[in-house]
Amino acid sequence: MKKNALFHNLKFYKGKRVLVTGHTGFKGAWLAQVLYYMGAKATGYALEAEKGSLYEKIDGDDLIHNVIGDLSDRQLLEKTIKNFQPEIVIHMAAFGFVKECFDDPVRAYRTNLMGSVNLMEALRDCTSVKSIVIVSTDKVYDNKGDGMLYREQDVLGGTDAYSCSKICMEYMIKDYRQSYFQANDRAIGIAVVRASNVLAGGDHVKTRLIPSILSSVAEGKPVELRNPSQTRPWQSVLDALNGYLSVARFVYENPNKYSGEWNIGPTHDGVRTVLWVCEKIRTSFQGLAFREGERFKVAESETLGLDISKALEELDWEPILACEKVIDQVVEFFKCQEAGEWEREICLRQIAEFYGG
Ligand SMILES: NC(=O)c1ccc[n+]([C@@H]2O[C@H](COP(=O)([O-])OP(=O)(O)OC[C@H]3O[C@@H](n4cnc5c(N)ncnc54)[C@H](O)[C@@H]3O)[C@@H](O)[C@H]2O)c1
Protein backbone atom coordinates (compact mmCIF):
# COMPACT_ATOMS: atom_id res chain seq x y z
CA MET A 1 0.00 0.00 0.00
CA LYS A 2 1.29 3.47 -0.89
CA LYS A 3 2.40 5.31 2.25
CA ASN A 4 0.54 8.60 2.07
CA ALA A 5 -1.43 8.70 5.34
CA LEU A 6 -0.19 12.23 6.09
CA PHE A 7 -1.79 13.63 2.95
CA HIS A 8 -4.94 11.51 3.23
CA ASN A 9 -5.51 12.42 6.87
CA LEU A 10 -5.08 16.13 6.16
CA LYS A 11 -7.73 15.91 3.46
CA PHE A 12 -10.09 13.55 5.29
CA TYR A 13 -10.28 15.34 8.66
CA LYS A 14 -11.05 18.81 7.31
CA GLY A 15 -14.55 19.61 8.61
CA LYS A 16 -15.06 16.17 10.24
CA ARG A 17 -16.76 16.08 13.64
CA VAL A 18 -14.40 14.25 15.99
CA LEU A 19 -15.06 13.50 19.66
CA VAL A 20 -11.87 13.00 21.67
CA THR A 21 -12.00 11.72 25.23
CA GLY A 22 -8.94 12.55 27.32
CA HIS A 23 -8.18 15.77 25.41
CA THR A 24 -6.75 17.45 28.53
CA GLY A 25 -4.06 14.76 28.91
CA PHE A 26 -0.65 14.66 27.25
CA LYS A 27 -1.60 12.91 24.01
CA GLY A 28 -4.93 14.75 24.08
CA ALA A 29 -3.28 18.18 24.09
CA TRP A 30 -1.22 17.16 21.05
CA LEU A 31 -4.27 15.64 19.31
CA ALA A 32 -6.36 18.78 19.93
CA GLN A 33 -3.67 20.75 18.08
CA VAL A 34 -3.34 18.21 15.24
CA LEU A 35 -7.12 18.28 14.67
CA TYR A 36 -7.10 22.09 14.83
CA TYR A 37 -4.27 22.13 12.26
CA MET A 38 -6.30 19.82 10.00
CA GLY A 39 -9.45 21.94 10.24
CA ALA A 40 -11.57 19.29 12.00
CA LYS A 41 -14.46 20.23 14.29
CA ALA A 42 -13.41 18.68 17.57
CA THR A 43 -15.05 18.30 20.97
CA GLY A 44 -13.16 16.94 23.97
CA TYR A 45 -14.51 15.18 27.06
CA ALA A 46 -12.20 14.75 30.06
CA LEU A 47 -11.40 15.80 33.59
CA GLU A 48 -10.07 19.30 34.19
CA ALA A 49 -6.53 19.85 32.87
CA GLU A 50 -3.90 19.48 35.58
CA LYS A 51 -1.89 22.48 36.74
CA GLY A 52 1.22 22.86 34.61
CA SER A 53 -0.08 20.46 31.92
CA LEU A 54 0.53 20.99 28.23
CA TYR A 55 -3.21 21.53 27.65
CA GLU A 56 -3.19 24.42 30.12
CA LYS A 57 -0.02 25.92 28.62
CA ILE A 58 -1.34 25.92 25.03
CA ASP A 59 -4.71 27.39 26.11
CA GLY A 60 -6.35 24.30 24.69
CA ASP A 61 -9.89 25.66 25.14
CA ASP A 62 -9.25 27.94 22.11
CA LEU A 63 -8.60 24.90 19.90
CA ILE A 64 -11.20 22.32 20.90
CA HIS A 65 -14.70 22.54 22.36
CA ASN A 66 -14.00 21.62 25.96
CA VAL A 67 -16.45 19.55 28.02
CA ILE A 68 -15.23 18.81 31.51
CA GLY A 69 -16.76 15.62 32.82
CA ASP A 70 -16.07 12.24 34.36
CA LEU A 71 -16.51 9.02 32.37
CA SER A 72 -18.69 7.85 35.25
CA ASP A 73 -21.23 10.60 34.43
CA ARG A 74 -23.31 8.80 31.81
CA GLN A 75 -25.91 11.56 31.57
CA LEU A 76 -23.29 14.16 30.66
CA LEU A 77 -21.64 11.77 28.20
CA GLU A 78 -25.00 11.17 26.51
CA LYS A 79 -25.80 14.88 26.42
CA THR A 80 -22.37 15.72 24.96
CA ILE A 81 -22.75 13.10 22.24
CA LYS A 82 -26.35 14.10 21.46
CA ASN A 83 -25.40 17.78 21.14
CA PHE A 84 -22.23 17.20 19.11
CA GLN A 85 -23.29 14.30 16.85
CA PRO A 86 -19.74 13.01 16.25
CA GLU A 87 -18.82 11.10 13.11
CA ILE A 88 -15.60 9.77 14.65
CA VAL A 89 -14.74 9.02 18.29
CA ILE A 90 -11.21 8.63 19.62
CA HIS A 91 -11.37 7.30 23.17
CA MET A 92 -8.14 8.08 24.99
CA ALA A 93 -9.36 9.00 28.50
CA ALA A 94 -7.86 6.60 31.00
CA PHE A 95 -6.19 6.22 34.36
CA GLY A 96 -2.97 5.48 32.57
CA PHE A 97 -0.08 5.11 35.00
CA VAL A 98 1.20 1.67 35.98
CA LYS A 99 2.24 2.63 39.53
CA GLU A 100 -0.85 4.75 40.29
CA CYS A 101 -3.13 1.95 39.01
CA PHE A 102 -1.26 -0.51 41.26
CA ASP A 103 -1.86 1.82 44.23
CA ASP A 104 -5.54 2.42 43.35
CA PRO A 105 -6.91 -0.56 41.38
CA VAL A 106 -10.53 0.45 42.07
CA ARG A 107 -9.99 3.71 40.19
CA ALA A 108 -8.15 1.84 37.43
CA TYR A 109 -11.06 -0.56 36.77
CA ARG A 110 -13.70 2.14 37.36
CA THR A 111 -12.10 4.45 34.78
CA ASN A 112 -10.60 2.12 32.21
CA LEU A 113 -13.30 -0.55 32.19
CA MET A 114 -16.54 0.97 33.51
CA GLY A 115 -15.78 4.44 32.09
CA SER A 116 -15.42 2.83 28.67
CA VAL A 117 -18.68 0.87 29.18
CA ASN A 118 -20.41 4.20 29.90
CA LEU A 119 -19.00 5.69 26.72
CA MET A 120 -20.17 2.72 24.63
CA GLU A 121 -23.63 2.93 26.23
CA ALA A 122 -23.78 6.64 25.39
CA LEU A 123 -22.81 5.85 21.79
CA ARG A 124 -25.36 3.04 21.32
CA ASP A 125 -28.14 5.33 20.16
CA CYS A 126 -25.90 7.76 18.30
CA THR A 127 -26.82 7.70 14.61
CA SER A 128 -24.06 10.05 13.39
CA VAL A 129 -21.08 7.94 14.47
CA LYS A 130 -19.33 5.76 11.89
CA SER A 131 -15.92 5.05 13.35
CA ILE A 132 -14.73 4.51 16.93
CA VAL A 133 -11.08 4.12 17.93
CA ILE A 134 -10.40 2.77 21.40
CA VAL A 135 -6.90 3.58 22.65
CA SER A 136 -5.31 0.64 24.43
CA THR A 137 -1.65 -0.12 25.14
CA ASP A 138 1.21 -2.45 24.25
CA LYS A 139 1.09 -3.59 27.90
CA VAL A 140 -1.93 -5.85 27.21
CA TYR A 141 0.24 -8.66 25.78
CA ASP A 142 1.23 -11.68 27.84
CA ASN A 143 4.80 -10.44 27.88
CA LYS A 144 7.34 -13.19 28.57
CA GLY A 145 10.19 -10.65 28.78
CA ASP A 146 12.05 -12.52 26.05
CA GLY A 147 12.48 -9.61 23.64
CA MET A 148 9.71 -10.85 21.35
CA LEU A 149 7.79 -8.39 19.18
CA TYR A 150 4.09 -9.04 19.87
CA ARG A 151 1.47 -9.31 17.11
CA GLU A 152 -2.23 -8.50 17.32
CA GLN A 153 -3.30 -12.16 17.52
CA ASP A 154 -0.90 -13.00 20.37
CA VAL A 155 -2.24 -13.99 23.78
CA LEU A 156 -3.20 -11.18 26.15
CA GLY A 157 -2.25 -11.24 29.80
CA GLY A 158 -1.33 -8.67 32.40
CA THR A 159 0.04 -8.77 35.91
CA ASP A 160 -1.03 -5.33 37.13
CA ALA A 161 -4.18 -3.21 37.35
CA TYR A 162 -3.25 -0.94 34.43
CA SER A 163 -2.76 -3.69 31.87
CA CYS A 164 -5.58 -5.89 33.24
CA SER A 165 -8.07 -3.01 33.22
CA LYS A 166 -7.14 -2.32 29.57
CA ILE A 167 -7.51 -6.04 28.73
CA CYS A 168 -10.97 -6.06 30.37
CA MET A 169 -11.81 -2.97 28.31
CA GLU A 170 -10.73 -4.74 25.12
CA TYR A 171 -12.96 -7.79 25.83
CA MET A 172 -15.88 -5.49 26.66
CA ILE A 173 -15.38 -3.63 23.36
CA LYS A 174 -15.46 -6.91 21.44
CA ASP A 175 -18.78 -7.76 23.08
CA TYR A 176 -20.30 -4.31 22.40
CA ARG A 177 -19.18 -4.36 18.80
CA GLN A 178 -20.74 -7.75 18.11
CA SER A 179 -23.84 -7.33 20.27
CA TYR A 180 -24.87 -3.71 19.64
CA PHE A 181 -22.87 -2.03 16.88
CA GLN A 182 -23.21 -4.63 14.15
CA ALA A 183 -26.74 -5.75 14.88
CA ASN A 184 -29.82 -4.82 12.76
CA ASP A 185 -27.85 -3.77 9.68
CA ARG A 186 -25.84 -1.28 11.70
CA ALA A 187 -22.17 -1.37 10.74
CA ILE A 188 -20.31 1.01 12.99
CA GLY A 189 -16.62 0.25 12.91
CA ILE A 190 -14.70 -0.12 16.15
CA ALA A 191 -10.94 -0.55 16.29
CA VAL A 192 -8.73 -1.09 19.30
CA VAL A 193 -5.29 0.47 18.89
CA ARG A 194 -2.36 -0.74 20.98
CA ALA A 195 0.31 1.94 20.96
CA SER A 196 3.65 2.04 22.66
CA ASN A 197 5.38 4.67 24.85
CA VAL A 198 5.30 8.09 23.26
CA LEU A 199 8.01 10.72 23.27
CA ALA A 200 7.39 14.43 22.74
CA GLY A 201 7.97 17.77 24.36
CA GLY A 202 5.63 19.41 26.84
CA ASP A 203 4.89 16.50 29.21
CA HIS A 204 4.62 17.56 32.87
CA VAL A 205 4.16 14.17 34.57
CA LYS A 206 7.46 13.62 36.39
CA THR A 207 7.05 9.86 36.83
CA ARG A 208 7.46 9.54 33.02
CA LEU A 209 10.97 9.31 31.63
CA ILE A 210 11.33 12.46 29.51
CA PRO A 211 9.90 14.96 32.03
CA SER A 212 11.97 13.35 34.79
CA ILE A 213 15.16 13.86 32.74
CA LEU A 214 14.29 17.41 31.70
CA SER A 215 13.33 18.50 35.20
CA SER A 216 16.72 17.17 36.40
CA VAL A 217 18.37 19.26 33.66
CA ALA A 218 16.42 22.34 34.78
CA GLU A 219 17.27 21.77 38.46
CA GLY A 220 20.89 20.68 37.86
CA LYS A 221 20.32 17.36 39.67
CA PRO A 222 21.24 13.80 38.63
CA VAL A 223 18.47 11.84 36.89
CA GLU A 224 17.11 8.88 38.86
CA LEU A 225 16.56 5.87 36.61
CA ARG A 226 14.33 3.08 37.89
CA ASN A 227 15.13 0.56 35.17
CA PRO A 228 17.98 1.69 32.88
CA SER A 229 18.30 -1.66 31.09
CA GLN A 230 14.59 -2.03 30.20
CA THR A 231 13.80 -1.94 26.49
CA ARG A 232 10.66 -0.19 25.27
CA PRO A 233 9.29 0.63 21.82
CA TRP A 234 9.60 4.45 21.79
CA GLN A 235 7.67 6.42 19.20
CA SER A 236 6.90 10.03 18.43
CA VAL A 237 3.55 11.26 19.73
CA LEU A 238 2.86 12.54 16.21
CA ASP A 239 3.40 9.10 14.67
CA ALA A 240 1.13 7.51 17.30
CA LEU A 241 -1.63 10.09 16.77
CA ASN A 242 -1.30 9.84 13.01
CA GLY A 243 -1.74 6.08 13.50
CA TYR A 244 -4.98 6.58 15.47
CA LEU A 245 -6.26 8.99 12.83
CA SER A 246 -5.35 6.60 10.01
CA VAL A 247 -7.07 3.64 11.65
CA ALA A 248 -10.16 5.80 12.31
CA ARG A 249 -10.23 6.88 8.64
CA PHE A 250 -9.91 3.31 7.32
CA VAL A 251 -12.62 2.12 9.74
CA TYR A 252 -14.88 5.00 8.66
CA GLU A 253 -14.50 4.03 5.03
CA ASN A 254 -14.76 0.27 5.46
CA PRO A 255 -15.98 -0.67 8.97
CA ASN A 256 -16.24 -4.41 8.40
CA LYS A 257 -12.75 -4.77 6.97
CA TYR A 258 -10.79 -2.54 9.34
CA SER A 259 -12.49 -3.06 12.72
CA GLY A 260 -10.40 -5.11 15.13
CA GLU A 261 -7.00 -4.72 16.75
CA TRP A 262 -4.02 -2.71 15.48
CA ASN A 263 -0.49 -2.29 16.82
CA ILE A 264 0.87 1.21 16.28
CA GLY A 265 4.49 1.58 17.27
CA PRO A 266 7.95 2.34 15.92
CA THR A 267 10.01 0.32 13.48
CA HIS A 268 12.88 -1.73 14.97
CA ASP A 269 15.04 1.37 15.44
CA GLY A 270 12.64 2.58 18.15
CA VAL A 271 13.06 -0.44 20.43
CA ARG A 272 15.75 0.90 22.78
CA THR A 273 16.76 0.75 26.42
CA VAL A 274 15.86 3.50 28.87
CA LEU A 275 19.60 4.17 29.21
CA TRP A 276 19.98 4.66 25.44
CA VAL A 277 17.27 7.36 25.50
CA CYS A 278 19.01 9.07 28.43
CA GLU A 279 22.46 8.92 26.79
CA LYS A 280 21.01 10.42 23.62
CA ILE A 281 19.50 13.33 25.57
CA ARG A 282 22.78 13.75 27.50
CA THR A 283 24.60 14.64 24.26
CA SER A 284 22.64 17.93 24.33
CA PHE A 285 23.24 18.67 28.03
CA GLN A 286 26.89 18.34 29.07
CA GLY A 287 27.40 17.21 32.64
CA LEU A 288 24.00 15.54 33.06
CA ALA A 289 24.47 12.67 35.55
CA PHE A 290 22.40 9.54 36.19
CA ARG A 291 21.96 7.38 39.25
CA GLU A 292 19.91 4.26 39.89
CA GLY A 293 16.53 5.17 41.45
CA GLU A 294 14.17 3.09 43.57
CA ARG A 295 12.10 0.58 41.58
CA PHE A 296 8.31 0.57 41.78
CA LYS A 297 6.76 -2.29 43.76
CA VAL A 298 4.77 -3.31 40.70
CA ALA A 299 6.62 -5.73 38.42
CA GLU A 300 7.72 -4.18 35.11
CA SER A 301 8.97 -6.36 32.30
CA GLU A 302 12.60 -6.06 31.14
CA THR A 303 11.63 -6.03 27.46
CA LEU A 304 8.63 -5.00 25.41
CA GLY A 305 8.30 -4.88 21.65
CA LEU A 306 5.48 -4.46 19.14
CA ASP A 307 5.23 -6.02 15.69
CA ILE A 308 3.60 -3.39 13.46
CA SER A 309 3.59 -5.37 10.21
CA LYS A 310 -0.23 -5.60 10.03
CA ALA A 311 -0.51 -1.78 10.05
CA LEU A 312 2.35 -1.46 7.53
CA GLU A 313 0.76 -3.97 5.17
CA GLU A 314 -2.90 -2.98 5.40
CA LEU A 315 -2.92 0.77 6.05
CA ASP A 316 -1.21 3.66 4.27
CA TRP A 317 0.40 4.60 7.63
CA GLU A 318 4.05 4.16 8.59
CA PRO A 319 6.22 5.72 11.34
CA ILE A 320 7.88 8.84 9.97
CA LEU A 321 10.24 9.97 12.71
CA ALA A 322 13.26 7.88 13.66
CA CYS A 323 13.98 7.62 17.38
CA GLU A 324 17.02 9.97 17.18
CA LYS A 325 14.94 12.62 15.42
CA VAL A 326 12.16 12.37 18.02
CA ILE A 327 14.66 12.96 20.81
CA ASP A 328 16.11 15.94 18.93
CA GLN A 329 12.60 17.38 18.77
CA VAL A 330 12.06 16.81 22.50
CA VAL A 331 15.31 18.65 23.26
CA GLU A 332 14.42 21.45 20.81
CA PHE A 333 10.99 21.78 22.47
CA PHE A 334 12.61 22.08 25.91
CA LYS A 335 15.18 24.66 24.77
CA CYS A 336 12.54 26.81 23.04
CA GLN A 337 10.36 26.58 26.12
CA GLU A 338 13.26 27.64 28.35
CA ALA A 339 13.87 30.55 25.97
CA GLY A 340 10.28 31.69 26.57
CA GLU A 341 8.55 30.59 23.37
CA TRP A 342 4.85 29.75 23.78
CA GLU A 343 4.27 25.98 23.86
CA ARG A 344 1.43 26.20 21.33
CA GLU A 345 3.78 27.79 18.80
CA ILE A 346 6.38 25.07 19.33
CA CYS A 347 3.77 22.31 18.96
CA LEU A 348 2.18 23.80 15.86
CA ARG A 349 5.61 24.26 14.25
CA GLN A 350 6.50 20.59 14.90
CA ILE A 351 3.05 19.50 13.63
CA ALA A 352 3.45 21.57 10.46
CA GLU A 353 6.95 20.08 9.88
CA PHE A 354 5.53 16.59 10.40
CA TYR A 355 2.68 17.07 7.93
CA GLY A 356 5.03 18.74 5.48
CA GLY A 357 3.28 22.12 5.59
N1 LIG B 1 1.63 8.14 27.18
C1 LIG B 1 2.00 6.96 26.68
O1 LIG B 1 3.21 6.74 26.46
C2 LIG B 1 0.96 5.91 26.36
C3 LIG B 1 1.40 4.68 25.81
C4 LIG B 1 0.44 3.71 25.46
C5 LIG B 1 -0.91 3.98 25.64
N2 LIG B 1 -1.31 5.16 26.21
C6 LIG B 1 -2.75 5.41 26.37
O2 LIG B 1 -3.05 6.62 25.68
C7 LIG B 1 -4.11 7.30 26.33
C8 LIG B 1 -3.70 8.73 26.63
O3 LIG B 1 -2.51 8.70 27.40
P1 LIG B 1 -1.87 10.04 28.01
O4 LIG B 1 -0.43 9.75 28.18
O5 LIG B 1 -2.30 11.22 27.24
O6 LIG B 1 -2.58 10.05 29.46
P2 LIG B 1 -2.76 11.27 30.46
O7 LIG B 1 -2.77 10.68 31.83
O8 LIG B 1 -1.81 12.36 30.18
O9 LIG B 1 -4.24 11.79 30.14
C9 LIG B 1 -5.37 11.06 30.53
C10 LIG B 1 -6.62 11.80 30.09
O10 LIG B 1 -7.76 11.01 30.53
C11 LIG B 1 -8.63 11.84 31.28
N3 LIG B 1 -9.29 11.06 32.31
C12 LIG B 1 -8.74 10.29 33.28
N4 LIG B 1 -9.69 9.77 34.08
C13 LIG B 1 -10.88 10.23 33.59
C14 LIG B 1 -12.22 10.08 34.00
N5 LIG B 1 -12.56 9.34 35.05
N6 LIG B 1 -13.19 10.72 33.28
C15 LIG B 1 -12.87 11.48 32.21
N7 LIG B 1 -11.61 11.66 31.78
C16 LIG B 1 -10.63 11.06 32.48
C17 LIG B 1 -7.73 12.92 31.89
O11 LIG B 1 -8.51 14.05 32.28
C18 LIG B 1 -6.79 13.19 30.73
O12 LIG B 1 -7.42 14.04 29.82
C19 LIG B 1 -4.47 6.46 27.55
O13 LIG B 1 -5.56 5.64 27.21
C20 LIG B 1 -3.23 5.62 27.79
O14 LIG B 1 -3.54 4.40 28.43
C21 LIG B 1 -0.40 6.12 26.58
Side-chain angles (χ1 to χ4, degrees):
M1 167 114 23
K2 226 169 161 204
K3 301 294 172 192
N4 40 17
L6 296 175
F7 172 73
H8 285 152
N9 284 341
L10 276 173
K11 213 166 117 199
F12 175 82
Y13 281 96
K14 193 170 170 52
K16 284 278 181 317
R17 288 193 310 278
V18 185
L19 176 71
V20 176
T21 71
H23 66 294
T24 57
F26 181 55
K27 281 185 185 173
W30 275 95
L31 184 57
Q33 295 174 100
V34 169
L35 289 169
Y36 172 82
Y37 177 80
M38 291 176 163
K41 292 178 189 146
T43 285
Y45 185 100
L47 303 178
E48 195 94 52
E50 287 178 9
K51 287 264 159 292
S53 65
L54 183 60
Y55 185 84
E56 196 187 63
K57 287 183 180 145
I58 59 166
D59 290 341
D61 292 5
D62 297 347
L63 309 177
I64 184 166
H65 177 62
N66 175 25
V67 180
I68 293 304
D70 197 299
L71 288 170
S72 62
D73 187 346
R74 228 169 85 190
Q75 267 186 335
L76 183 58
L77 269 172
E78 277 166 16
K79 189 172 153 210
T80 305
I81 288 166
K82 202 167 163 212
N83 289 344
F84 183 54
Q85 294 291 306
E87 296 163 272
I88 294 159
V89 176
I90 301 190
H91 174 41
M92 297 197 303
F95 188 37
F97 301 103
V98 174
K99 179 180 179 301
E100 281 76 356
C101 286
F102 175 85
D103 292 340
D104 190 351
V106 174
R107 183 172 167 196
Y109 288 100
R110 190 175 59 222
T111 307
N112 299 347
L113 174 59
M114 288 313 298
S116 305
V117 170
N118 288 335
L119 176 67
M120 297 314 285
E121 279 294 313
L123 285 167
R124 266 177 73 173
D125 294 330
C126 174
T127 50
S128 58
V129 72
K130 291 189 168 166
S131 166
I132 303 171
V133 162
I134 305 290
V135 171
S136 187
T137 167
D138 54 3
K139 296 185 180 64
V140 291
Y141 289 111
D142 184 16
N143 187 351
K144 308 276 185 229
D146 52 4
M148 188 172 139
L149 301 182
Y150 288 93
R151 293 163 309 165
E152 287 82 350
Q153 65 270 34
D154 285 331
V155 176
L156 304 187
T159 51
D160 60 89
Y162 174 61
S163 46
C164 289
S165 61
K166 288 280 189 176
I167 294 169
C168 293
M169 174 188 79
E170 289 203 13
Y171 280 114
M172 176 279 292
I173 291 295
K174 214 170 221 176
D175 163 25
Y176 266 72
R177 185 159 87 83
Q178 278 162 15
S179 304
Y180 311 112
F181 287 81
Q182 288 190 316
N184 305 326
D185 292 335
R186 253 182 131 198
I188 295 168
I190 309 182
V192 167
V193 181
R194 299 168 184 155
S196 58
N197 287 28
V198 293
L199 298 177
D203 197 357
H204 76 296
V205 179
K206 293 205 178 130
T207 47
R208 295 200 273 229
L209 181 63
I210 297 294
S212 76
I213 299 174
L214 295 177
S215 71
S216 298
V217 171
E219 291 161 18
K221 288 185 186 158
V223 185
E224 291 205 4
L225 297 178
R226 290 196 315 275
N227 300 298
S229 60
Q230 268 183 359
T231 58
R232 291 289 178 266
W234 308 97
Q235 67 178 331
S236 145
V237 76
L238 293 175
D239 274 319
L241 298 178
N242 197 45
Y244 298 158
L245 294 174
S246 302
V247 172
R249 170 169 51 85
F250 273 81
V251 167
Y252 182 99
E253 281 163 358
N254 193 338
N256 290 330
K257 184 165 177 197
Y258 293 102
S259 289
E261 295 76 32
W262 297 90
N263 285 347
I264 290 291
T267 46
H268 288 268
D269 91 297
V271 184
R272 306 278 191 173
T273 62
V274 168
L275 189 63
W276 182 91
V277 172
C278 298
E279 294 287 9
K280 176 74 182 117
I281 295 181
R282 176 150 65 181
T283 58
S284 301
F285 301 104
Q286 297 307 320
L288 180 63
F290 305 130
R291 70 161 182 250
E292 194 129 347
E294 206 180 314
R295 291 189 171 217
F296 289 162
K297 257 188 272 165
V298 51
E300 292 182 284
S301 169
E302 264 308 286
T303 62
L304 180 53
L306 272 187
D307 183 327
I308 58 167
S309 33
K310 178 183 172 196
L312 293 179
E313 280 158 25
E314 297 182 30
L315 307 177
D316 58 3
W317 171 88
E318 66 181 339
I320 305 289
L321 296 171
C323 204
E324 279 90 351
K325 174 70 183 161
V326 185
I327 293 174
D328 288 346
Q329 287 194 342
V330 169
V331 170
E332 180 207 292
F333 193 112
F334 176 75
K335 288 186 173 169
C336 293
Q337 216 178 2
E338 292 283 289
E341 190 177 353
W342 185 22
E343 284 79 357
R344 191 200 288 178
E345 274 168 12
I346 313 171
C347 291
L348 287 175
R349 187 172 59 247
Q350 293 192 345
I351 290 167
E353 272 169 27
F354 183 80
Y355 282 97

